[in-house]
Amino acid sequence: MQQAVSSYLKLIPFSNFNLWDVKRYYDNTQLEFENVVSLSEILLPYRKPVTKHEMIKNKWRIISKINFSGELFLRDFDEINTYKGNLNLVPEDAIIYSKINVRHGCIYYHAKGKAPFGVSSEYPTYKFDSSKVDGRFLHKLLRSDAFKKILNTKTTGISKARVKQNEFLDTKIPLPSIEEQRRIIDNYNSKILQSIILKEKALLLDSETEHFLFEAVGYKIKSKSKTNVVGRILKVIDYENIIKWGIDQNNSSNLELVKPYQIFRIAELCKVSSGGTPRRDRKEYYNGNIPWIKTGEVLNDVIFDTEEKITKEAVDNSSAKIYPKDSLIIAMYGQGLTRGRTAKLGIAASTNQACAVLFDIDNSKVITDYLWVYLQGEYHRLRELASGNNQPNLNAQMIKEYRVVVPPISEQRAIVDGFFKRKAEIKNLNKQAEDLYSLAENEFEKQIFG
């Protein structure tokens, strides 16, 4: 009977039972490692009060925050005049953390050679023996997923859970030799740097793709504004050039078409409609097999599946419609970067009312993929159309009236091929960058925590 009990119960000395918190005594991390030390053995609490006068004299700034990526943000220098509270100075080659968010990775290493800055008591500061501990290695270790799991067993409080200083310092970590620390962190940083370089190459190619599309459809930036200016305030625009009240793409853009291509309104190239949202209180409407697209799923890619699916009855009893494969989607509403994004249907699907759908495209005038590529290139100008209203949304009429430069079919194909070739390379570079980043993270955790 005793054996059965011991397999379920963990015996805890009464002297350790100072706080009733199950997660403190139930260890689900199951971490085992060598060269174990307590942080108290390598970190020395550092506290040096500093006055506002000293801060101003030395042009030191005050901390704003440490984000979840372990990056430091400082306040503007002028804010020191309105700051209330005591300040402590953070010297070079020191580790600090945010009491309230340390378990989320808000730990920062202030490297050698960096100027001091001020912090409140919410940011404990520590020095260490740099002949035994590499600050870069320690920073990465303290922000690792394995260490975060350990810290999560040490938080106190509910709404603003904190890790107390003594709890933090009591935490045990693996600490290889200084030579091994340097080898591990150098290897990690090398892979992260390669990942960043690949990401930057992808961004550069993305910018070059925009330029390629810009030139391919025949646009160039006007060398001189041809708009008359009255005084220095009024801009005179011919009434016939106004597409809508508010910001108009012809008015806000300094572009001119230099190739003899035709220009069509979208309504002259295809039909434009939108969708609808079936009643949310009819849960049975959302247990069907008809894909139903929301604007958050419109990501400049082909859509083959959706998060939610509705029934035929839901379509029949709402403004939702089923659109054929190869229709194009434009997000008319949406927070952040969503509005103006596009997608192509790889399946027949329905949408909500925030999506405009371009269907029955006249392929004798325009290739579907060309129209899609063109709209991707017009992302920023499409968003501009909505910026003159109180509620910055696009609508179906704006999209119907939107002008599209349409080259001959053979040139459309060449533009599409060039665009998607570049996009495939961008996708490949981003995939390599993400794989390399994941490899660096996994290697570090495995070498330290096993």
Side-chain angles (χ1 to χ4, degrees):
M1 187 68 173
Q2 179 62 38
Q3 289 181 341
V5 172
S6 63
S7 66
Y8 290 95
L9 297 181
K10 182 175 182 179
L11 298 177
I12 305 164
F14 184 77
S15 60
N16 293 342
F17 204 69
N18 58 336
L19 286 172
W20 175 243
D21 190 340
V22 172
K23 65 187 176 184
R24 292 173 180 274
Y25 306 110
Y26 174 61
D27 179 11
N28 62 354
T29 59
Q30 296 183 349
L31 294 174
E32 295 181 5
F33 35 72
E34 299 177 352
N35 307 317
V36 176
V37 298
S38 294
L39 286 176
S40 59
E41 297 176 55
I42 60 171
L43 293 180
L44 180 66
Y46 180 93
R47 186 173 180 275
K48 183 180 180 182
V50 60
T51 65
K52 280 188 181 182
H53 176 74
E54 290 176 286
M55 295 284 292
I56 293 170
K57 179 182 177 181
N58 291 284
K59 296 184 178 179
W60 293 330
R61 294 160 68 187
I62 301 173
I63 193 170
S64 172
K65 68 176 181 178
I66 301 171
N67 69 7
F68 288 1
S69 297
E71 298 171 308
L72 174 72
F73 293 83
L74 297 174
R75 302 184 186 202
D76 290 338
F77 181 72
D78 291 342
E79 290 186 51
I80 193 169
N81 296 311
T82 56
Y83 182 82
K84 295 180 180 179
N86 298 322
L87 289 169
N88 296 312
L89 200 65
V90 177
E92 65 175 2
D93 207 23
I95 288 281
I96 72 169
Y97 69 79
S98 164
K99 285 182 182 177
I100 195 169
N101 281 320
V102 62
R103 71 192 195 282
H104 296 307
C106 295
I107 301 174
Y108 170 70
Y109 169 52
H110 199 49
K112 291 181 180 179
K114 292 196 173 183
F117 61 95
V119 296
S120 71
S121 59
E122 281 296 304
Y123 296 91
T125 303
Y126 302 95
K127 292 289 288 180
F128 50 86
D129 184 346
S130 57
S131 68
K132 297 179 181 178
V133 180
D134 186 300
R136 302 168 305 153
F137 172 85
L138 182 60
H139 180 232
K140 175 57 191 166
L141 187 151
L142 297 180
R143 294 196 59 260
S144 66
D145 287 341
F147 188 77
K148 289 176 191 175
K149 289 177 182 177
I150 296 172
L151 285 186
N152 261 315
T153 69
K154 296 174 177 288
T155 56
T156 59
I158 299 174
S159 61
K160 293 186 177 181
R162 284 169 164 76
V163 175
K164 293 183 177 180
Q165 243 178 306
N166 64 318
E167 294 273 358
F168 180 78
L169 291 172
D170 283 345
T171 308
K172 290 180 170 56
I173 64 165
L175 190 70
S177 68
I178 186 70
E179 293 78 18
E180 183 68 2
Q181 292 173 46
R182 288 169 181 159
R183 185 195 67 77
I184 291 171
I185 197 62
D186 285 343
N187 179 58
Y188 171 83
N189 285 339
S190 174
K191 287 184 172 61
I192 293 299
L193 179 59
Q194 291 175 55
S195 175
I196 291 170
I197 290 171
L198 288 168
K199 281 281 187 184
E200 288 176 346
K201 283 184 178 179
L203 286 171
L204 179 61
L205 184 54
D206 194 46
S207 178
E208 290 174 354
T209 301
E210 286 187 22
H211 187 69
F212 157 77
L213 191 57
F214 182 80
E215 287 193 332
V217 299
Y219 276 127
K220 81 168 187 177
I221 298 174
K222 296 177 184 176
S223 55
K224 282 187 178 181
S225 175
K226 297 180 181 178
T227 308
N228 297 320
V229 178
V230 179
R232 287 174 179 264
I233 302 172
L234 297 179
K235 187 172 185 180
V236 178
I237 306 166
D238 292 339
Y239 182 80
E240 64 182 4
N241 290 334
I242 295 178
I243 297 177
K244 64 182 280 293
W245 292 109
I247 295 180
D248 147 44
Q249 69 175 50
N250 293 323
N251 178 22
S252 65
S253 171
N254 196 30
L255 306 178
E256 63 179 333
L257 189 64
V258 295
K259 292 185 179 179
Y261 295 153
Q262 289 182 288
I263 297 178
F264 293 93
R265 293 180 300 113
I266 284 180
E268 296 176 301
L269 299 173
C270 60
K271 294 177 182 176
V272 179
S273 189
S274 60
T277 301
R279 286 176 54 177
R280 282 290 184 181
D281 60 352
R282 297 289 297 272
K283 292 183 180 180
E284 68 273 18
Y285 282 176
Y286 293 86
N287 290 322
N289 57 9
I290 299 171
W292 184 68
I293 299 166
K294 303 185 288 288
T295 55
E297 297 170 291
V298 179
L299 297 169
N300 295 329
D301 210 339
V302 181
I303 294 176
F304 292 104
D305 198 8
T306 57
E307 181 185 10
E308 294 185 278
K309 294 179 175 63
I310 60 176
T311 62
K312 181 64 168 61
E313 185 183 7
V315 174
D316 293 340
N317 289 283
S318 71
S319 55
K321 307 172 187 67
I322 302 175
Y323 293 101
K325 176 185 173 183
D326 293 332
S327 299
L328 302 179
I329 311 292
I330 301 175
M332 295 190 291
Y333 317 159
Q335 300 298 316
L337 301 175
T338 301
R339 187 181 74 252
R341 279 180 175 163
T342 64
K344 180 182 174 183
L345 291 186
I347 49 171
S350 59
T351 77
N352 69 10
Q353 66 277 10
C355 297
V357 184
L358 282 56
F359 62 106
D360 285 356
I361 298 168
D362 185 349
N363 291 140
S364 67
K365 294 178 181 176
V366 63
I367 299 170
T368 298
D369 278 345
Y370 172 79
L371 180 56
W372 184 26
V373 163
Y374 184 87
L375 291 173
Q376 289 182 63
E378 294 293 291
Y379 171 73
H380 294 291
R381 284 181 285 281
L382 276 168
R383 288 174 65 82
E384 263 190 7
L385 278 179
S387 61
N389 302 323
N390 290 331
Q391 187 175 0
N393 294 327
L394 296 167
N395 60 48
Q397 189 58 35
M398 292 176 186
I399 290 168
K400 286 178 182 179
E401 296 297 325
Y402 201 83
R403 291 169 169 79
V404 179
V405 178
V406 181
I409 294 293
S410 60
E411 293 188 41
Q412 290 180 41
R413 290 196 181 100
I415 290 169
V416 168
D417 290 345
F419 179 87
F420 284 118
K421 181 180 179 180
R422 288 168 171 81
K423 285 296 182 181
E425 180 60 19
I426 291 168
K427 189 173 183 178
N428 182 50
L429 286 169
N430 282 324
K431 173 82 166 49
Q432 288 181 51
E434 289 162 8
D435 288 348
L436 202 52
Y437 179 85
S438 295
L439 177 62
E441 293 290 331
N442 292 335
E443 274 188 358
F444 183 90
E445 297 259 349
K446 186 174 181 180
Q447 287 179 87
I448 303 305
F449 297 100

